[in-house]
Amino acid sequence: MNPTVFDEIFAIMEASFPVSELRTYSGQKSLLDNPNYHIYTERDAEGRIVAFLAAWEFPELRFVEHIAVNPEIRGGGIGKKLMNSYLSRSDKPVVLEVEPPEGELELRRVGFYERLGFHLNPFPYVQPPLREGQADLPLMIMTYPQAVSRQEFGRFREILYTEVYKIPATALESLLYNHDTSSKQVHD
């Protein structure tokens, strides 16, 4: 991918996501060297990138890390078209992270994915920090084409933590235990 194309994608990314859901420019760019990481784009008539979908492909699942449309042209069906195209590429389950549906924007976002066939799963989940000094980010997992069992969720979460977020296996058990027990206390 040439630098100009990456810059266009990163500009849409920065305009679409809070810093807590983004890597640094160099951290994001370094993912392009990972054979499991792919970026799909949608261009306008002039050839400018107007939307992108960044995903991880694994033997057991596909993980949509980011999907965004240029804020100036949202609402025209480009995001839906891009996601439907991605969903049609494989029969593997697709996983994505969303903010808990507690506000109007979050409810609309979850509704968008539900209309595409995704299911919101009720299991506790946090996104590990993407940048130095950030805290874990409480999110929820949506899956396509169906909801998953607690066991499937655990397997998917472990893949994300080890392959996407690069949490060492030695730290993984502690992270999962601490998160699972704190969420049980909150929900019990």
Side-chain angles (χ1 to χ4, degrees), residues 4-33:
T4 304
V5 169
F6 180 78
D7 289 347
E8 287 181 68
I9 292 167
F10 197 76
I12 295 171
M13 202 177 275
E14 285 186 307
S16 303
F17 295 95
V19 172
S20 60
E21 295 178 26
L22 290 175
R23 290 176 180 80
T24 61
Y25 178 90
S26 61
Q28 196 67 44
K29 194 170 187 176
S30 71
L31 295 180
L32 299 175
D33 295 329

Side-chain angles (χ1 to χ4, degrees), residues 133-144:
Q134 289 181 335
D136 289 343
L137 181 62
L139 296 175
M140 296 184 78
I141 291 289
M142 295 190 79
T143 52
Y144 174 93

